[in-house]
Amino acid sequence: MKELRVNAGKGYNIYIENNILSKAGRYIREVSGAEKACIVSDTNVYPLYADALKTQLEENGFNVYDFVFTAGEESKTADTVLEIVALLAENEFTRGDILIALGGGVTGDMCGFAAAIYLRGIEYIQLPTSLLSQVDSSVGGKTAVDLPQGKNLCGAFHQPALVLIDTKTLDTLPQKYFSDGMAEAIKMGCIKSASLFEKIEKGSARDIIEDIIFECVSLKAGVVERDEKEKGERALLNFGHTAGHAIEKLHSFKGITHGEAVGIGMVMITKAAEGNGLCERGTAERIASVLKKYNLKTEDENSVEDIINAMSADKKRTSSGINFILIKRIGEGYINPVKNENIPEFFGI
């Protein structure tokens, strides 16, 4: 088993192990004196793992409830979160009780947001089952839902009490969603670790997936500890996301995965950076090549103009422009503000 400590919020541990779900109840009981636990999951993941988790929780003295929503980004709304909160209220959950996110990034984001707002904050556990959530979204305490105007515009910073990463759950993950998660691992290599990028570039990720997960969450934990509320360095984690979120919005959050959109965004922003002399030549092609290796897209059918227009609701926008995340070269990310009137020219249009 691999173990990490994140010194943010109250501080919490991350445990990474194959089949850790089989002893999850014990680890959760170690951090929580709760009487009641509510599992939040979706219609894809719940049938696979909920029974095993319920058994574990009940054996460790929890009264177990559950909330199951229709799988997909379309469910990531304020209405769904309010349904979770209503279930907790109806069953008289107290501030001492807990929520457990069993699933991917959508599940973790909504479960965490429900935990942040119910009774002004209760504890929750992350038990991520997708590669994307294991390498990225389960760590760091970002919780949110989407609005019609854009992705993740309504949310809160609320750190989990524990993260349990079971690599065995990747055995049931469709190839498309394994690729989806690899986009976030590639992103982390781009902004923070040339050696991680090279491992992914030259080797087979499936053969070393536990090492990749550990390195990604180690890097992210360090960033979160230094900048929990995204006042500076943590913004680097959004590399590829400004264009990526815009692309997801243009697709109405259907037919394209988050990782696919972020991959396109990484290539798009790096090409722009190269065109403005802000990035080492050939970097965009190198990123595109590794994305293709993991069956990820590198371009979108929407025009650059449409993608730029859809960036208008991005969280990194200021009154005067957008703080774009660029890389000087693989492994070196930085923030580069661009004024609104200069954005089209920055992207070569």
Side-chain angles (χ1 to χ4, degrees), residues 163-190:
V163 181
L164 300 176
I165 297 176
D166 189 342
T167 54
K168 187 175 177 62
T169 62
L170 300 179
D171 294 345
T172 58
L173 193 68
Q175 178 58 44
K176 177 178 182 179
Y177 293 103
F178 185 88
S179 296
D180 185 50
M182 284 306 301
E184 291 287 0
I186 292 164
K187 174 208 76 178
M188 188 61 80
C190 285

Side-chain angles (χ1 to χ4, degrees), residues 292-336:
K292 290 174 184 175
K293 175 180 177 178
Y294 292 98
N295 302 309
L296 287 158
K297 297 179 180 181
T298 59
E299 55 186 12
D300 190 62
E301 57 264 35
N302 288 288
S303 68
V304 174
E305 290 91 338
D306 286 343
I307 294 170
I308 290 172
N309 288 335
M311 292 178 187
S312 60
D314 190 85
K315 299 185 297 301
K316 294 169 291 302
R317 181 177 283 279
T318 67
S319 59
S320 60
I322 296 179
N323 291 325
F324 286 106
I325 310 306
L326 311 182
I327 57 175
K328 294 180 181 178
R329 58 187 62 82
I330 298 296
E332 291 186 39
Y334 67 105
I335 300 168
N336 185 75

